[in-house]
Amino acid sequence: MTTKQAQGRKAEILEFATHLFSVRGFHGTRMDDVAEASSLNKATVYHYYESKAELLFDLCVAALDDVLAKLRTAGPDLSAAQALEHYIVSVLSLIADTPERSLVYFQESPFLDEWLSGEQVSKVRDLERSFELHLRGIAERGVKDGTFRHFDPRLVALAVSGMTNWFCR
């Protein structure tokens, strides 16, 4: 099997697991369920994913990487208002395009400390912090140029991310 085929198989397994996690939750899904849903034997699933936690980790990283990639498409010449609009449209469109993955991410994110290793949790939390820093930067720029009223940029970042993230519910 080529590397490309192996990556494709891994992506298929993750897609089946994502669906099951969205319906049953992470805790309510077993690796046996993932194997059955993907029409593979359990040994094959374990060949690609050592654990259910690894599936959840890959799901979270993929979700966050996709949004960050979309945010990077914003040109540096955008005004603060345009950058904020780009952020909101990017997040909402990705949630709409990947509703099951988004739901699982937001549903399980508060419990990652229970399911994932410390190193995995750190990686996910670092990616999440990059969103807050991105939004803070937009808010700081908007306050500085007079586009936005003076508010604490951290609170603005939390409010905007909270509103956009709730969309998946």
Side-chain angles (χ1 to χ4, degrees):
M1 181 176 279
T2 67
T3 303
K4 190 173 184 173
Q5 289 171 321
Q7 289 172 337
R9 176 62 57 88
K10 195 170 181 175
E12 288 173 5
I13 293 168
L14 183 57
E15 190 175 317
F16 284 110
T18 299
H19 173 72
L20 291 171
F21 293 164
S22 74
V23 174
R24 301 177 181 177
F26 175 77
H27 192 66
T29 302
R30 301 171 303 133
M31 287 295 273
D32 288 333
D33 301 327
V34 175
E36 183 180 326
S38 57
S39 300
L40 298 170
N41 65 48
K42 197 159 82 169
T44 301
V45 172
Y46 275 109
H47 172 74
Y48 292 99
Y49 285 98
E50 292 181 14
S51 67
K52 191 170 67 161
E54 190 179 341
L55 282 160
L56 181 61
F57 173 71
D58 278 4
L59 180 151
C60 290
V61 169
L64 294 166
D65 280 347
D66 284 354
V67 176
L68 287 170
K70 195 156 189 148
L71 293 178
R72 288 185 197 106
T73 65
D77 56 333
L78 292 181
S79 69
Q82 291 169 323
L84 181 60
E85 179 182 358
H86 181 264
Y87 175 89
I88 293 168
V89 169
S90 295
V91 171
L92 294 183
S93 66
L94 279 170
I95 290 171
D97 292 344
T98 59
E100 288 182 328
R101 183 177 72 178
S102 299
L103 177 65
V104 172
Y105 169 75
F106 291 118
Q107 179 176 286
E108 301 301 337
S109 182
F111 309 106
L112 294 182
D113 290 331
E114 295 177 41
W115 313 130
L116 305 182
S117 71
E119 185 178 320
Q120 290 171 323
V121 172
S122 289
K123 175 157 173 120
V124 171
R125 298 304 183 220
D126 285 346
L127 290 169
E128 291 171 340
R129 272 189 288 285
S130 58
F131 287 101
E132 182 183 339
L133 292 174
H134 181 80
L135 279 169
R136 271 190 194 185
I138 293 170
E140 288 168 355
R141 199 171 46 162
V143 167
K144 188 175 182 178
D145 71 13
T147 302
F148 304 142
R149 291 175 48 194
H150 185 72
F151 289 107
D152 178 351
R154 183 175 182 276
L155 288 178
V156 171
L158 291 172
V160 171
S161 64
M163 286 184 283
T164 55
N165 296 350
W166 192 253
F167 179 70
C168 78
R169 303 232 183 242

mmCIF file of all heavy atoms in Angstrom, residues 116-155:
data_model
loop_
_atom_site.group_PDB
_atom_site.id
_atom_site.type_symbol
_atom_site.label_atom_id
_atom_site.label_comp_id
_atom_site.label_asym_id
_atom_site.label_seq_id
_atom_site.Cartn_x
_atom_site.Cartn_y
_atom_site.Cartn_z
ATOM 1 N N LEU A 116 -7.147 12.530 26.397
ATOM 2 C CA LEU A 116 -5.893 12.603 25.660
ATOM 3 C C LEU A 116 -4.685 12.681 26.583
ATOM 4 O O LEU A 116 -4.809 13.028 27.758
ATOM 5 C CB LEU A 116 -5.892 13.836 24.740
ATOM 6 C CG LEU A 116 -7.042 13.978 23.740
ATOM 7 C CD1 LEU A 116 -6.849 15.236 22.895
ATOM 8 C CD2 LEU A 116 -7.169 12.750 22.864
ATOM 9 N N SER A 117 -3.521 12.400 26.023
ATOM 10 C CA SER A 117 -2.280 12.529 26.791
ATOM 11 C C SER A 117 -1.993 14.019 27.014
ATOM 12 O O SER A 117 -2.523 14.885 26.312
ATOM 13 C CB SER A 117 -1.117 11.896 26.020
ATOM 14 O OG SER A 117 -0.776 12.691 24.890
ATOM 15 N N GLY A 118 -1.138 14.305 27.964
ATOM 16 C CA GLY A 118 -0.772 15.691 28.245
ATOM 17 C C GLY A 118 -0.173 16.381 27.032
ATOM 18 O O GLY A 118 -0.462 17.552 26.767
ATOM 19 N N GLU A 119 0.653 15.675 26.283
ATOM 20 C CA GLU A 119 1.268 16.247 25.082
ATOM 21 C C GLU A 119 0.208 16.567 24.025
ATOM 22 O O GLU A 119 0.259 17.619 23.384
ATOM 23 C CB GLU A 119 2.282 15.251 24.509
ATOM 24 C CG GLU A 119 3.061 15.766 23.333
ATOM 25 C CD GLU A 119 4.082 14.750 22.836
ATOM 26 O OE1 GLU A 119 4.726 14.090 23.675
ATOM 27 O OE2 GLU A 119 4.214 14.620 21.604
ATOM 28 N N GLN A 120 -0.766 15.676 23.862
ATOM 29 C CA GLN A 120 -1.838 15.919 22.891
ATOM 30 C C GLN A 120 -2.691 17.109 23.312
ATOM 31 O O GLN A 120 -3.036 17.958 22.484
ATOM 32 C CB GLN A 120 -2.708 14.671 22.731
ATOM 33 C CG GLN A 120 -2.020 13.524 22.024
ATOM 34 C CD GLN A 120 -2.833 12.242 22.090
ATOM 35 O OE1 GLN A 120 -3.484 11.945 23.092
ATOM 36 N NE2 GLN A 120 -2.782 11.475 21.013
ATOM 37 N N VAL A 121 -3.033 17.164 24.580
ATOM 38 C CA VAL A 121 -3.841 18.285 25.087
ATOM 39 C C VAL A 121 -3.093 19.595 24.872
ATOM 40 O O VAL A 121 -3.679 20.589 24.427
ATOM 41 C CB VAL A 121 -4.204 18.091 26.581
ATOM 42 C CG1 VAL A 121 -4.861 19.343 27.152
ATOM 43 C CG2 VAL A 121 -5.118 16.892 26.767
ATOM 44 N N SER A 122 -1.800 19.608 25.144
ATOM 45 C CA SER A 122 -0.999 20.821 24.956
ATOM 46 C C SER A 122 -1.032 21.280 23.504
ATOM 47 O O SER A 122 -1.167 22.478 23.237
ATOM 48 C CB SER A 122 0.451 20.586 25.378
ATOM 49 O OG SER A 122 0.541 20.481 26.764
ATOM 50 N N LYS A 123 -0.917 20.348 22.582
ATOM 51 C CA LYS A 123 -0.935 20.723 21.161
ATOM 52 C C LYS A 123 -2.279 21.330 20.783
ATOM 53 O O LYS A 123 -2.341 22.363 20.116
ATOM 54 C CB LYS A 123 -0.640 19.523 20.275
ATOM 55 C CG LYS A 123 -0.785 19.883 18.803
ATOM 56 C CD LYS A 123 -0.018 18.999 17.889
ATOM 57 C CE LYS A 123 -0.376 19.352 16.472
ATOM 58 N NZ LYS A 123 0.663 19.777 15.651
ATOM 59 N N VAL A 124 -3.379 20.703 21.218
ATOM 60 C CA VAL A 124 -4.711 21.233 20.911
ATOM 61 C C VAL A 124 -4.899 22.605 21.544
ATOM 62 O O VAL A 124 -5.370 23.541 20.888
ATOM 63 C CB VAL A 124 -5.818 20.247 21.359
ATOM 64 C CG1 VAL A 124 -7.204 20.869 21.240
ATOM 65 C CG2 VAL A 124 -5.751 18.945 20.554
ATOM 66 N N ARG A 125 -4.518 22.745 22.801
ATOM 67 C CA ARG A 125 -4.696 24.030 23.489
ATOM 68 C C ARG A 125 -3.832 25.122 22.853
ATOM 69 O O ARG A 125 -4.246 26.286 22.792
ATOM 70 C CB ARG A 125 -4.404 23.905 24.979
ATOM 71 C CG ARG A 125 -5.322 22.943 25.734
ATOM 72 C CD ARG A 125 -6.788 23.266 25.588
ATOM 73 N NE ARG A 125 -7.598 22.353 26.397
ATOM 74 C CZ ARG A 125 -8.738 21.837 26.008
ATOM 75 N NH1 ARG A 125 -9.260 22.133 24.827
ATOM 76 N NH2 ARG A 125 -9.419 21.025 26.796
ATOM 77 N N ASP A 126 -2.638 24.767 22.371
ATOM 78 C CA ASP A 126 -1.797 25.752 21.678
ATOM 79 C C ASP A 126 -2.484 26.233 20.400
ATOM 80 O O ASP A 126 -2.462 27.426 20.091
ATOM 81 C CB ASP A 126 -0.428 25.160 21.332
ATOM 82 C CG ASP A 126 0.488 25.034 22.534
ATOM 83 O OD1 ASP A 126 0.197 25.633 23.590
ATOM 84 O OD2 ASP A 126 1.514 24.312 22.422
ATOM 85 N N LEU A 127 -3.085 25.317 19.660
ATOM 86 C CA LEU A 127 -3.817 25.706 18.450
ATOM 87 C C LEU A 127 -4.997 26.603 18.807
ATOM 88 O O LEU A 127 -5.258 27.598 18.127
ATOM 89 C CB LEU A 127 -4.293 24.467 17.681
ATOM 90 C CG LEU A 127 -3.208 23.648 16.999
ATOM 91 C CD1 LEU A 127 -3.763 22.311 16.510
ATOM 92 C CD2 LEU A 127 -2.598 24.423 15.851
ATOM 93 N N GLU A 128 -5.706 26.257 19.880
ATOM 94 C CA GLU A 128 -6.838 27.085 20.316
ATOM 95 C C GLU A 128 -6.375 28.494 20.706
ATOM 96 O O GLU A 128 -7.046 29.473 20.394
ATOM 97 C CB GLU A 128 -7.545 26.428 21.507
ATOM 98 C CG GLU A 128 -8.279 25.168 21.155
ATOM 99 C CD GLU A 128 -8.793 24.394 22.353
ATOM 100 O OE1 GLU A 128 -8.282 24.591 23.486
ATOM 101 O OE2 GLU A 128 -9.703 23.584 22.161
ATOM 102 N N ARG A 129 -5.229 28.584 21.388
ATOM 103 C CA ARG A 129 -4.704 29.895 21.787
ATOM 104 C C ARG A 129 -4.398 30.761 20.568
ATOM 105 O O ARG A 129 -4.521 31.986 20.624
ATOM 106 C CB ARG A 129 -3.468 29.737 22.662
ATOM 107 C CG ARG A 129 -3.785 29.596 24.145
ATOM 108 C CD ARG A 129 -2.546 29.666 25.003
ATOM 109 N NE ARG A 129 -1.707 28.483 24.912
ATOM 110 C CZ ARG A 129 -1.976 27.305 25.480
ATOM 111 N NH1 ARG A 129 -3.082 27.153 26.179
ATOM 112 N NH2 ARG A 129 -1.157 26.296 25.359
ATOM 113 N N SER A 130 -4.010 30.131 19.481
ATOM 114 C CA SER A 130 -3.703 30.920 18.288
ATOM 115 C C SER A 130 -4.955 31.626 17.764
ATOM 116 O O SER A 130 -4.867 32.716 17.200
ATOM 117 C CB SER A 130 -3.035 30.072 17.210
ATOM 118 O OG SER A 130 -3.828 28.996 16.846
ATOM 119 N N PHE A 131 -6.138 31.036 17.983
ATOM 120 C CA PHE A 131 -7.384 31.714 17.611
ATOM 121 C C PHE A 131 -7.585 32.944 18.472
ATOM 122 O O PHE A 131 -7.927 34.011 17.985
ATOM 123 C CB PHE A 131 -8.605 30.796 17.790
ATOM 124 C CG PHE A 131 -8.709 29.744 16.768
ATOM 125 C CD1 PHE A 131 -8.307 28.456 17.045
ATOM 126 C CD2 PHE A 131 -9.196 30.029 15.513
ATOM 127 C CE1 PHE A 131 -8.390 27.481 16.091
ATOM 128 C CE2 PHE A 131 -9.284 29.059 14.546
ATOM 129 C CZ PHE A 131 -8.877 27.777 14.837
ATOM 130 N N GLU A 132 -7.395 32.776 19.765
ATOM 131 C CA GLU A 132 -7.579 33.911 20.667
ATOM 132 C C GLU A 132 -6.600 35.025 20.321
ATOM 133 O O GLU A 132 -6.977 36.196 20.273
ATOM 134 C CB GLU A 132 -7.383 33.484 22.122
ATOM 135 C CG GLU A 132 -7.604 34.629 23.092
ATOM 136 C CD GLU A 132 -7.352 34.278 24.545
ATOM 137 O OE1 GLU A 132 -7.385 33.084 24.898
ATOM 138 O OE2 GLU A 132 -7.116 35.221 25.315
ATOM 139 N N LEU A 133 -5.360 34.667 20.042
ATOM 140 C CA LEU A 133 -4.365 35.687 19.683
ATOM 141 C C LEU A 133 -4.731 36.371 18.370
ATOM 142 O O LEU A 133 -4.544 37.585 18.228
ATOM 143 C CB LEU A 133 -2.977 35.057 19.598
ATOM 144 C CG LEU A 133 -2.396 34.575 20.926
ATOM 145 C CD1 LEU A 133 -1.069 33.841 20.693
ATOM 146 C CD2 LEU A 133 -2.222 35.720 21.904
ATOM 147 N N HIS A 134 -5.249 35.613 17.434
ATOM 148 C CA HIS A 134 -5.678 36.191 16.158
ATOM 149 C C HIS A 134 -6.790 37.219 16.391
ATOM 150 O O HIS A 134 -6.726 38.346 15.891
ATOM 151 C CB HIS A 134 -6.152 35.076 15.224
ATOM 152 C CG HIS A 134 -6.580 35.548 13.883
ATOM 153 N ND1 HIS A 134 -5.682 35.835 12.876
ATOM 154 C CD2 HIS A 134 -7.810 35.805 13.372
ATOM 155 C CE1 HIS A 134 -6.339 36.238 11.806
ATOM 156 N NE2 HIS A 134 -7.635 36.235 12.077
ATOM 157 N N LEU A 135 -7.787 36.826 17.161
ATOM 158 C CA LEU A 135 -8.899 37.738 17.451
ATOM 159 C C LEU A 135 -8.452 38.939 18.278
ATOM 160 O O LEU A 135 -8.900 40.065 18.052
ATOM 161 C CB LEU A 135 -10.017 36.993 18.167
ATOM 162 C CG LEU A 135 -10.942 36.188 17.264
ATOM 163 C CD1 LEU A 135 -11.837 35.277 18.085
ATOM 164 C CD2 LEU A 135 -11.776 37.109 16.404
ATOM 165 N N ARG A 136 -7.582 38.703 19.243
ATOM 166 C CA ARG A 136 -7.053 39.812 20.035
ATOM 167 C C ARG A 136 -6.355 40.825 19.139
ATOM 168 O O ARG A 136 -6.511 42.033 19.306
ATOM 169 C CB ARG A 136 -6.047 39.309 21.058
ATOM 170 C CG ARG A 136 -6.611 38.921 22.364
ATOM 171 C CD ARG A 136 -5.442 38.710 23.295
ATOM 172 N NE ARG A 136 -5.834 38.016 24.491
ATOM 173 C CZ ARG A 136 -5.023 37.792 25.504
ATOM 174 N NH1 ARG A 136 -3.771 38.179 25.440
ATOM 175 N NH2 ARG A 136 -5.445 37.171 26.564
ATOM 176 N N GLY A 137 -5.582 40.310 18.209
ATOM 177 C CA GLY A 137 -4.877 41.192 17.281
ATOM 178 C C GLY A 137 -5.831 42.042 16.471
ATOM 179 O O GLY A 137 -5.603 43.247 16.280
ATOM 180 N N ILE A 138 -6.917 41.435 16.015
ATOM 181 C CA ILE A 138 -7.928 42.187 15.266
ATOM 182 C C ILE A 138 -8.545 43.262 16.159
ATOM 183 O O ILE A 138 -8.679 44.419 15.754
ATOM 184 C CB ILE A 138 -9.021 41.242 14.714
ATOM 185 C CG1 ILE A 138 -8.447 40.316 13.648
ATOM 186 C CG2 ILE A 138 -10.201 42.054 14.157
ATOM 187 C CD1 ILE A 138 -9.396 39.192 13.227
ATOM 188 N N ALA A 139 -8.909 42.882 17.385
ATOM 189 C CA ALA A 139 -9.536 43.830 18.312
ATOM 190 C C ALA A 139 -8.575 44.970 18.647
ATOM 191 O O ALA A 139 -8.971 46.146 18.654
ATOM 192 C CB ALA A 139 -9.978 43.113 19.580
ATOM 193 N N GLU A 140 -7.320 44.639 18.929
ATOM 194 C CA GLU A 140 -6.337 45.675 19.262
ATOM 195 C C GLU A 140 -6.149 46.648 18.099
ATOM 196 O O GLU A 140 -6.083 47.863 18.296
ATOM 197 C CB GLU A 140 -5.005 45.032 19.641
ATOM 198 C CG GLU A 140 -5.041 44.347 20.990
ATOM 199 C CD GLU A 140 -3.834 43.458 21.257
ATOM 200 O OE1 GLU A 140 -2.970 43.280 20.359
ATOM 201 O OE2 GLU A 140 -3.770 42.914 22.372
ATOM 202 N N ARG A 141 -6.074 46.117 16.896
ATOM 203 C CA ARG A 141 -5.907 46.957 15.716
ATOM 204 C C ARG A 141 -7.123 47.861 15.526
ATOM 205 O O ARG A 141 -6.994 49.037 15.209
ATOM 206 C CB ARG A 141 -5.697 46.061 14.490
ATOM 207 C CG ARG A 141 -5.087 46.757 13.330
ATOM 208 C CD ARG A 141 -4.706 45.786 12.267
ATOM 209 N NE ARG A 141 -5.793 44.850 12.028
ATOM 210 C CZ ARG A 141 -5.916 44.111 10.956
ATOM 211 N NH1 ARG A 141 -5.030 44.172 10.013
ATOM 212 N NH2 ARG A 141 -6.930 43.297 10.808
ATOM 213 N N GLY A 142 -8.332 47.286 15.722
ATOM 214 C CA GLY A 142 -9.554 48.067 15.563
ATOM 215 C C GLY A 142 -9.707 49.163 16.595
ATOM 216 O O GLY A 142 -10.182 50.261 16.285
ATOM 217 N N VAL A 143 -9.297 48.888 17.828
ATOM 218 C CA VAL A 143 -9.344 49.911 18.876
ATOM 219 C C VAL A 143 -8.329 51.003 18.552
ATOM 220 O O VAL A 143 -8.628 52.200 18.647
ATOM 221 C CB VAL A 143 -9.077 49.293 20.268
ATOM 222 C CG1 VAL A 143 -8.802 50.372 21.306
ATOM 223 C CG2 VAL A 143 -10.243 48.425 20.703
ATOM 224 N N LYS A 144 -7.149 50.590 18.137
ATOM 225 C CA LYS A 144 -6.072 51.544 17.835
ATOM 226 C C LYS A 144 -6.442 52.488 16.698
ATOM 227 O O LYS A 144 -6.162 53.685 16.761
ATOM 228 C CB LYS A 144 -4.801 50.780 17.488
ATOM 229 C CG LYS A 144 -3.583 51.641 17.351
ATOM 230 C CD LYS A 144 -2.355 50.772 17.115
ATOM 231 C CE LYS A 144 -1.113 51.621 17.031
ATOM 232 N NZ LYS A 144 0.089 50.797 16.853
ATOM 233 N N ASP A 145 -7.112 51.948 15.667
ATOM 234 C CA ASP A 145 -7.442 52.824 14.525
ATOM 235 C C ASP A 145 -8.825 53.468 14.651
ATOM 236 O O ASP A 145 -9.278 54.158 13.754
ATOM 237 C CB ASP A 145 -7.297 52.084 13.192
ATOM 238 C CG ASP A 145 -8.365 51.030 12.925
ATOM 239 O OD1 ASP A 145 -9.395 50.990 13.632
ATOM 240 O OD2 ASP A 145 -8.169 50.230 11.993
ATOM 241 N N GLY A 146 -9.516 53.215 15.772
ATOM 242 C CA GLY A 146 -10.797 53.855 16.029
ATOM 243 C C GLY A 146 -12.002 53.151 15.423
ATOM 244 O O GLY A 146 -13.124 53.627 15.555
ATOM 245 N N THR A 147 -11.792 51.993 14.804
ATOM 246 C CA THR A 147 -12.907 51.240 14.218
ATOM 247 C C THR A 147 -13.812 50.673 15.312
ATOM 248 O O THR A 147 -15.028 50.649 15.161
ATOM 249 C CB THR A 147 -12.370 50.080 13.347
ATOM 250 O OG1 THR A 147 -11.536 50.620 12.336
ATOM 251 C CG2 THR A 147 -13.498 49.290 12.721
ATOM 252 N N PHE A 148 -13.210 50.203 16.398
ATOM 253 C CA PHE A 148 -13.954 49.594 17.500
ATOM 254 C C PHE A 148 -13.827 50.471 18.736
ATOM 255 O O PHE A 148 -12.811 51.145 18.936
ATOM 256 C CB PHE A 148 -13.408 48.205 17.833
ATOM 257 C CG PHE A 148 -13.372 47.238 16.680
ATOM 258 C CD1 PHE A 148 -12.311 46.353 16.544
ATOM 259 C CD2 PHE A 148 -14.388 47.188 15.734
ATOM 260 C CE1 PHE A 148 -12.266 45.448 15.503
ATOM 261 C CE2 PHE A 148 -14.351 46.285 14.685
ATOM 262 C CZ PHE A 148 -13.281 45.412 14.570
ATOM 263 N N ARG A 149 -14.849 50.410 19.558
ATOM 264 C CA ARG A 149 -14.781 51.086 20.849
ATOM 265 C C ARG A 149 -13.743 50.378 21.697
ATOM 266 O O ARG A 149 -13.408 49.229 21.460
ATOM 267 C CB ARG A 149 -16.142 51.035 21.532
ATOM 268 C CG ARG A 149 -17.160 51.900 20.801
ATOM 269 C CD ARG A 149 -18.537 51.815 21.347
ATOM 270 N NE ARG A 149 -18.584 51.953 22.789
ATOM 271 C CZ ARG A 149 -19.656 51.651 23.504
ATOM 272 N NH1 ARG A 149 -20.752 51.210 22.918
ATOM 273 N NH2 ARG A 149 -19.653 51.785 24.801
ATOM 274 N N HIS A 150 -13.266 51.057 22.696
ATOM 275 C CA HIS A 150 -12.218 50.469 23.537
ATOM 276 C C HIS A 150 -12.811 49.428 24.490
ATOM 277 O O HIS A 150 -13.575 49.763 25.390
ATOM 278 C CB HIS A 150 -11.485 51.547 24.335
ATOM 279 C CG HIS A 150 -10.340 50.981 25.108
ATOM 280 N ND1 HIS A 150 -9.190 50.563 24.497
ATOM 281 C CD2 HIS A 150 -10.201 50.720 26.413
ATOM 282 C CE1 HIS A 150 -8.368 50.076 25.403
ATOM 283 N NE2 HIS A 150 -8.957 50.172 26.579
ATOM 284 N N PHE A 151 -12.482 48.195 24.234
ATOM 285 C CA PHE A 151 -12.847 47.074 25.088
ATOM 286 C C PHE A 151 -11.590 46.258 25.321
ATOM 287 O O PHE A 151 -10.633 46.341 24.554
ATOM 288 C CB PHE A 151 -13.893 46.173 24.418
ATOM 289 C CG PHE A 151 -15.258 46.777 24.321
ATOM 290 C CD1 PHE A 151 -15.744 47.209 23.102
ATOM 291 C CD2 PHE A 151 -16.062 46.903 25.441
ATOM 292 C CE1 PHE A 151 -17.012 47.757 22.995
ATOM 293 C CE2 PHE A 151 -17.334 47.460 25.340
ATOM 294 C CZ PHE A 151 -17.802 47.883 24.119
ATOM 295 N N ASP A 152 -11.621 45.456 26.338
ATOM 296 C CA ASP A 152 -10.507 44.542 26.591
ATOM 297 C C ASP A 152 -10.430 43.555 25.424
ATOM 298 O O ASP A 152 -11.371 42.800 25.181
ATOM 299 C CB ASP A 152 -10.757 43.808 27.910
ATOM 300 C CG ASP A 152 -9.687 42.792 28.257
ATOM 301 O OD1 ASP A 152 -8.803 42.507 27.417
ATOM 302 O OD2 ASP A 152 -9.731 42.266 29.386
ATOM 303 N N PRO A 153 -9.326 43.532 24.666
ATOM 304 C CA PRO A 153 -9.208 42.650 23.501
ATOM 305 C C PRO A 153 -9.392 41.171 23.844
ATOM 306 O O PRO A 153 -9.928 40.403 23.050
ATOM 307 C CB PRO A 153 -7.795 42.912 22.973
ATOM 308 C CG PRO A 153 -7.468 44.274 23.460
ATOM 309 C CD PRO A 153 -8.165 44.411 24.790
ATOM 310 N N ARG A 154 -8.995 40.776 25.039
ATOM 311 C CA ARG A 154 -9.182 39.372 25.444
ATOM 312 C C ARG A 154 -10.668 39.044 25.561
ATOM 313 O O ARG A 154 -11.122 38.001 25.116
ATOM 314 C CB ARG A 154 -8.468 39.097 26.759
ATOM 315 C CG ARG A 154 -8.575 37.647 27.186
ATOM 316 C CD ARG A 154 -7.738 37.379 28.450
ATOM 317 N NE ARG A 154 -7.822 35.996 28.804
ATOM 318 C CZ ARG A 154 -8.812 35.460 29.534
ATOM 319 N NH1 ARG A 154 -9.799 36.222 29.974
ATOM 320 N NH2 ARG A 154 -8.835 34.180 29.813
ATOM 321 N N LEU A 155 -11.437 39.963 26.143
ATOM 322 C CA LEU A 155 -12.880 39.744 26.275
ATOM 323 C C LEU A 155 -13.560 39.739 24.906
ATOM 324 O O LEU A 155 -14.465 38.947 24.660
ATOM 325 C CB LEU A 155 -13.510 40.809 27.173
ATOM 326 C CG LEU A 155 -13.203 40.694 28.656
ATOM 327 C CD1 LEU A 155 -13.842 41.838 29.429
ATOM 328 C CD2 LEU A 155 -13.649 39.361 29.206
#
